[in-house]
Amino acid sequence: MTATPPSGPAPRAAQAPHAHPYIPNSAPEVKRAMLEAIGAAGVEDFYADIPEELRLRRPLDLPAPLRSEAQLVRHVGGLLARNTSTREVLSFLGAGCYPHHVPAVVDEVVNRSEFLTAYAGEPYEDHGRFQAMWEYQSLMAELLAAEVVNVPVYDGFQAAGTALRMAGRCTGRARVLAVSDTGPDKLSKVVDYLRPEHQLVTVPVRADGRADLDAVRAELAAGDVAAVWAEAPGYAGLVDEGLPELGELAHAAGALYVVGCNPASLGVLAPPSSYGADIACGDIQPLGIHMSYGGGNAGFVATQDDERLVAEFPTRLFGLVPTAVEGEYGFGDVAFERTSFAVREEGKEWVGTAAALHGIAAGVYLSLMGPHGMRELGETVLARTAYAKQRLADVPGVAIPHADAVHFADFPVRFTGSRTAGEVNAALRERGIFGGAVRTDRDPREALYCVTETHTADDIDLLADTLKEIAQ
Amino acid sequence: MSAPKPATEPTREEARIAPKPPLRRFHQARWDEQLIFELGTPGERGISVPAPEPEVREAVGDPAAALPAALRRSTPPALPELGQQQVLRHYLRLSQENLGADLNIDVGQGTCTMKYSPKVNDTFTRDPRVAALHPLQDASTVQGVLEILHRLEGLLKEISGMDRVSLQPAAGSSAIWTNVAMIRAYFAARGEAEERDEVITTSFSHPSNAACAKTAGYRVITLPPDADGYPDIEALRAAAGPRTAALLITNPEDTGIYNPRIAEFVRIVHEAGGLCAYDQANANGILGITRAREAGFDLCHFNLHKTFSTPHACGGPAAGACGVTEALAPYLPSPTVEFDGTDYRLEADRAESIGSVRPFYGVIPNLVRAYAWIMSLGAEGLRETAEIAVLNNNYLLAKVSAIHGVSVPYAQGRPRLEQVRYSWERLHDDTGVHSEEIGLRAADFGTHYWTSHHPYLVPEPMTLEPTESYSRADLDEYAAILTEVAREAYEDTGTVRTAPHRSTVHRTKEDTLESPATWAVTWRAYRRKILGESV
């Protein structure tokens, strides 16, 4: 219930009685004095270079402002009241955005004004963010068993696109093989991102959900492949036993091996570098970043400290350096001349504002978790995923494709009864449960369900029991 | 317990506190903090993780055992082990060693539009009805956030004059990329993709315009500034032709000078059959004054973390918005948010769309903030934002121009809009002090500045953008700091050249960053390469 109907017009506001709180010099007397101080008749003087035909000689047609904070809170609160958050229901949605617990300390740190509102200062007045970001790179490097991790890119999609273009530049070859089950949106982004330089060839997975090694071998035969791109786990959560062999195939054909991975799994699953990946990439949203309706992403790209690979990173890489004072840590940009900041279009792809604060969040998260926390996280998610698969497999009208495989967080569910996955979801919603993400790209009877450490055995039992009522 | 009574009563004079000196005697926090890897002791824990219940363990055993050994982690990651408060303390110390825009008069980060990011808007993003929404929830359960996205698109359509706006791009450069991808798709649909393989931009437009175009496969032509600092229109005439896909241009450019012939630029490119994309990173001084539509642009983009107040977050998450005319609308990223008069929904079935440019629908927390910010101002407030930003800039221009050693290149006697690219060339010639060094000395007074993008077309550059957020007193203080540092440069050169002196750390030895043998991007690499440890 709100005074401001969310969909209706905002209330008429009275004429501005005083300076806007966000604009101190809008106080009429201040404005007058400033104009006088510089000998200007009015602000119109400053717009003299804008031709009349380009001037908008009417006010913008916008809703009346909500100048008081109280009004604004009420208005936005009214809109937010029309959302149902996953805290109010039991949600089994994952598929690229994961409901992990976000420790309170992570929120405390990233909401600090000094971090939240900083931008691009030097490594002196902004020493803190340089150190926090370098520590993020270093913590991720331990998790990934890599020596170089970048300042975050926008998201895991971008990370995959950049990792593959890096591989393309390194090898000078045209084709890239996508060999795992990759989500349709990620594939769409990567295809479009590579298009100017590379052809992305999708090698369909086998009926058992694993990469088709024979087909990959055949595609590699021509010797024109820049990279074999696998995902661990794939879009449907499957951990493919063939991952190490894919690396061998890639290397034998002179291609680089690029592996996308879920960093939350790496306390129990091997880091890609250990089974041959030249470049690892992925999204750090699972590491302490809120889902925010899909707004909480940041991507990483990681390699060993190989000069040829480092030279191909488009992003900033912070480095540790001595200062003029003994025992002081300084920071700066490694090999800055790679970047478009330094040399515009002669740089690698581009660099710009991306997702730095999420990197700091992930750094705080990994510091809190430590080696044991990451292992326990991985074990719990693996165990809960396996348990959910077992419980759901027992439900009449439900089948678990690729049930023999190991799944992490996501797993596929197929509804064999009278209802599609979407219809099952509608019935679940009435009972306070958000079912899995429907695979509209593939089969309306299939959905990806997801469990993490935030789901208890009781939650999973409740899902199974509820599906018994509706899935047939 | 009270102190023993003094023999004589203290005088009022003794109780009087002297007024503050004209410049603050700042010193930044200096915790001399270790690296996180040097902290903690094995066995300490920062947070507990739920363990699987006994019935779960019993039912599933160890699922990882089904994997080949090569896919199971054999050695735990060498992450630090700290108690929770120790982790918190470490990061709070680092935060104190960082100068956020909330704490300094941040007019020195020109082109970045450092404005106040209202605290109330942060409260919306922390609400679970934003933070704990999953992007694949049924539309019926997210009508509020979809309505915000739809309304924000409507506001930005009116502010830009464009027909549709996508809120999906992750940041400014991501929005530039999105525009270039749409341009490419537009010409591909017309069978002209091969022929139109050139993109034109300008020296004073953000480097990402050139870099995104190159990444998209275009040959890049960069128009240099003419003698007055405007992009050279003759160079444009020479460049535009059948190979032109698009012009990517900023106006005002990073000099703060508005190009009055912008409509002619657009006309020249249109006549050559190309499209025009307006990089509106510098929109803060022209909100409600002039729009992309009236200048004839086909596409534009805004940086919501600049003009529309969302926090800069150490370099993102940010948010971008791409506006297009009807002709380009089919190519917008998917999904779009549609409203049928009753319900809001996501529309992904769009055959000509360039597809996803990032996961899901955009950087939602920043879209919520931007919506709230615009709603707190309305049309009149946006115009006031622009006018005061421009007034502040011209006020600061008058003050800074009076500093010995500063000059203001180009377009002499013309006003500037929201920012100015200054030059310390004269001061450098006189004293040998570089612009970067003046910026570092400014840090000793609790602020800082940024020079310019590369290459430095303006020698010894300094770019100041005093947005509407700063009071007259703020601007006076900032100008006083620059005045003092310039005086020092002439009279006490050594102090400036060895700055900072009151910062967290001292001058770094940067040359190690350029050599593969000594650069150290991670603790793991530092230990192996510099300390000679086996890791």
Side-chain angles (χ1 to χ4, degrees), chain A residues 6 49 82 113 147 294 328, chain B residues 30 147 151 358 414 528:
Chain A
D49 284 343
R82 302 184 63 209
S113 267
E147 287 187 327
E328 232 178 43
Chain B
R30 175 179 162 77
E147 182 170 347
R151 280 172 167 252
R358 58 154 277 134
R414 304 306 305 166
R528 179 178 66 79

Side-chain angles (χ1 to χ4, degrees), chain A residues 49-51 54, chain B residues 230 251-252 256-260 262 278 286 290 417:
Chain A
D49 284 343
I50 304 181
L54 299 188
Chain B
Y230 301 113
N251 193 31
I257 302 170
Y258 187 89
N259 173 5
I262 191 66
Y278 191 173
I286 54 173
T290 182
L417 291 185

Side-chain angles (χ1 to χ4, degrees), chain A residues 6 47 49 54 58 61 66 75 82 86 113 116 118 135 143 147 196 268 293-294 297 305 328 376 380, chain B residues 30 38 45 50 73 90 102 132-133 147 151 158 184 285 290 313-314 358 371 375 414 521-522 528-529:
Chain A
Y47 291 116
D49 284 343
L54 299 188
R58 63 165 175 83
D61 183 14
L66 304 163
H75 170 70
R82 302 184 63 209
T86 55
S113 267
L116 182 63
E135 290 182 353
L143 192 64
E147 287 187 327
V268 290
Y293 199 50
N297 304 88
D305 197 347
E328 232 178 43
E376 290 163 3
T380 299
Chain B
R30 175 179 162 77
E38 299 172 292
R45 295 295 292 262
R73 184 153 205 142
H90 173 70
D102 276 351
L133 294 181
E147 182 170 347
R151 280 172 167 252
E158 171 64 8
R184 202 173 46 164
T290 182
C314 292
R358 58 154 277 134
Y371 172 74
M375 288 303 292
R414 304 306 305 166
V521 180
T522 59
R528 179 178 66 79
K529 294 165 69 176

Side-chain angles (χ1 to χ4, degrees), chain A residues 292-296, chain B residues 125 130 145 149 361-369:
Chain A
S292 299
Y293 199 50
Chain B
T125 70
V130 173
V145 70
L149 299 183
Y361 328 118
V363 185
I364 302 300
N366 284 340
L367 301 178
V368 172
R369 285 181 173 111

Side-chain angles (χ1 to χ4, degrees), chain A residues 18-372:
Chain A
H18 52 67
H20 195 286
Y22 306 160
I23 315 176
N25 294 341
S26 63
E29 55 277 25
V30 176
K31 190 171 162 179
R32 208 164 31 244
M34 288 176 70
L35 285 166
E36 213 173 275
I38 57 175
V43 288
E44 272 299 317
D45 286 10
F46 309 128
Y47 291 116
D49 284 343
I50 304 181
E52 182 55 34
E53 64 271 22
L54 299 188
R55 289 296 301 268
L56 185 70
R57 290 297 186 191
R58 63 165 175 83
L60 289 169
D61 183 14
L62 300 178
L66 304 163
R67 282 175 65 107
S68 79
E69 194 166 300
Q71 277 177 301
L72 186 69
V73 166
R74 199 152 179 171
H75 170 70
V76 178
L79 289 163
L80 298 189
R82 302 184 63 209
N83 296 332
T84 304
S85 99
T86 55
R87 295 229 187 126
E88 301 164 63
V89 295
L90 182 54
S91 172
F92 293 93
L93 288 163
C97 181
Y98 296 99
H100 290 288
H101 177 69
V102 176
V105 168
V106 174
D107 278 336
E108 180 69 26
V109 172
V110 297
N111 288 327
R112 289 284 295 198
S113 267
E114 299 93 328
F115 283 145
L116 182 63
T117 68
Y119 199 17
E122 298 296 325
Y124 304 99
E125 72 273 15
D126 275 6
H127 176 82
R129 80 178 167 87
F130 272 86
Q131 182 167 341
M133 187 56 61
W134 187 85
E135 290 182 353
Y136 156 75
Q137 294 171 183
S138 298
L139 292 157
M140 284 295 285
E142 297 301 338
L143 192 64
L144 291 157
E147 287 187 327
V148 176
V149 176
N150 61 345
V151 172
V153 297
Y154 307 121
D155 50 65
F157 291 10
Q158 182 72 33
T162 283
L164 294 170
R165 286 189 76 143
M166 285 172 62
R169 289 192 293 272
C170 262
T171 59
R173 294 177 174 187
R175 294 199 309 148
V176 167
L177 305 183
V179 303
S180 298
D181 175 24
T182 295
D185 290 343
K186 185 190 271 188
L187 206 55
S188 146
K189 160 76 188 192
V190 173
V191 166
D192 195 58
Y193 194 68
L194 297 189
R195 199 192 313 274
E197 299 281 338
H198 303 288
Q199 184 197 356
L200 187 108
V201 177
T202 302
V203 182
V205 294
R206 297 186 315 225
D208 66 359
R210 276 77 159 186
D212 187 337
L213 298 180
D214 291 335
V216 171
R217 209 174 276 118
E219 289 288 351
L220 285 166
D224 62 348
V225 171
V228 171
W229 172 33
E231 296 206 282
Y235 183 54
L238 185 146
V239 184
D240 190 336
E241 300 87 343
L243 285 163
E245 196 177 343
L246 284 163
E248 290 164 20
L249 294 180
H251 292 154
L256 296 190
Y257 189 31
V258 175
V259 177
C261 65
N262 179 345
S265 71
L266 297 182
V268 290
L269 299 186
S273 63
S274 73
Y275 52 85
D278 301 287
I279 309 178
C281 59
D283 202 306
I284 58 174
Q285 183 272 328
L287 302 181
I289 299 163
H290 293 284
M291 298 190 291
S292 299
Y293 199 50
N297 304 88
F300 66 86
V301 178
T303 66
Q304 298 309 336
D305 197 347
D306 173 339
E307 193 182 336
R308 289 171 318 141
L309 283 166
V310 173
E312 299 304 336
F313 274 89
T315 48
R316 296 177 80 174
L317 300 167
F318 290 167
L320 178 67
V321 290
T323 78
V325 171
E326 284 282 304
E328 232 178 43
Y329 293 123
F331 299 93
D333 277 283
V334 166
F336 191 62
E337 290 297 312
R338 297 169 287 113
T339 68
S340 64
F341 275 159
V343 291
R344 296 172 66 92
E345 73 271 22
E346 298 309 318
K348 314 294 179 180
E349 303 165 49
W350 73 84
V351 60
T353 298
L357 194 61
H358 287 335
I360 294 178
V364 178
Y365 182 84
L366 291 172
S367 303
L368 287 164
M369 295 289 279
H372 306 292

Side-chain angles (χ1 to χ4, degrees), chain B residues 14-326:
Chain B
E14 284 171 315
R16 197 179 73 86
I17 298 163
K20 290 278 184 199
L23 292 179
R24 65 183 73 234
R25 292 159 294 180
F26 173 80
H27 199 301
Q28 191 157 15
R30 175 179 162 77
W31 284 103
D32 208 14
E33 183 68 359
Q34 290 162 292
L35 302 172
I36 188 102
F37 294 92
E38 299 172 292
L39 302 172
T41 306
E44 292 179 20
R45 295 295 292 262
I47 192 151
S48 301
V49 178
E53 295 80 353
E55 68 265 34
V56 170
R57 281 190 197 284
E58 199 175 314
V60 303
D62 174 13
L67 290 171
L71 289 180
R72 297 197 304 266
R73 184 153 205 142
S74 53
T75 48
L79 297 171
E81 297 177 57
L82 284 82
Q84 190 169 103
Q85 191 184 2
Q86 285 65 35
V87 173
L88 177 68
R89 185 191 296 142
H90 173 70
Y91 282 103
L92 291 187
R93 285 174 173 172
L94 295 188
S95 77
Q96 290 196 343
E97 292 178 340
N98 209 63
L99 191 62
D102 276 351
L103 288 135
N104 87 99
I105 301 166
D106 211 351
V107 312
Q109 227 154 240
T111 78
C112 301
T113 315
M114 304 305 292
K115 63 172 64 185
Y116 174 57
S117 186
K119 294 294 139 185
V120 66
N121 298 346
D122 296 343
T123 67
F124 305 139
T125 70
R126 291 172 201 160
D127 189 307
R129 292 166 303 176
V130 173
L133 294 181
H134 191 283
L136 300 175
Q137 287 182 215
D138 189 77
S140 65
T141 65
V142 285
Q143 286 293 296
V145 70
L146 290 178
E147 182 170 347
I148 288 174
L149 299 183
H150 192 264
R151 280 172 167 252
L152 178 59
E153 179 184 355
L155 300 174
L156 293 173
K157 274 158 60 176
E158 171 64 8
I159 291 166
S160 63
M162 305 309 261
D163 296 319
R164 284 303 302 257
V165 173
S166 171
L167 303 171
Q168 198 183 84
S173 299
S174 167
I176 293 173
W177 167 262
T178 303
N179 278 344
V180 173
M182 285 192 277
I183 289 163
R184 202 173 46 164
Y186 174 90
F187 285 117
R190 278 156 188 73
E192 296 179 58
E194 296 294 313
E195 183 191 344
R196 296 197 177 271
D197 63 351
E198 292 178 349
V199 159
I200 303 168
T201 186
T202 72
S203 302
F204 285 127
S205 293
H206 191 280
S208 285
N209 287 286
C212 288
K214 174 77 179 307
T215 307
Y218 288 104
R219 201 171 80 84
V220 176
I221 299 171
T222 303
L223 307 180
D226 68 15
D228 284 324
Y230 301 113
D232 192 326
I233 197 163
E234 293 312 320
L236 176 67
R237 285 203 178 94
R243 292 181 65 179
T244 304
L247 171 70
L248 312 182
I249 193 167
T250 314
N251 193 31
E253 295 195 291
D254 289 355
T255 52
I257 302 170
Y258 187 89
N259 173 5
R261 292 192 290 189
I262 191 66
E264 200 178 338
F265 275 60
V266 170
R267 199 156 47 239
I268 291 167
V269 172
H270 279 166
E271 281 168 11
L275 295 171
C276 294
Y278 191 173
D279 176 342
Q280 299 216 255
N282 297 339
N284 204 45
I286 54 173
L287 294 170
I289 304 285
T290 182
R291 310 188 301 175
R293 165 68 84 184
E294 280 72 26
F297 282 95
D298 306 289
L299 312 93
C300 73
H301 92 263
F302 293 113
N303 297 29
L304 301 185
H305 52 292
K306 292 181 178 177
T307 314
F308 296 94
S309 91
T310 81
H312 284 73
C314 292
C322 290
V324 296
T325 58
E326 205 60 58

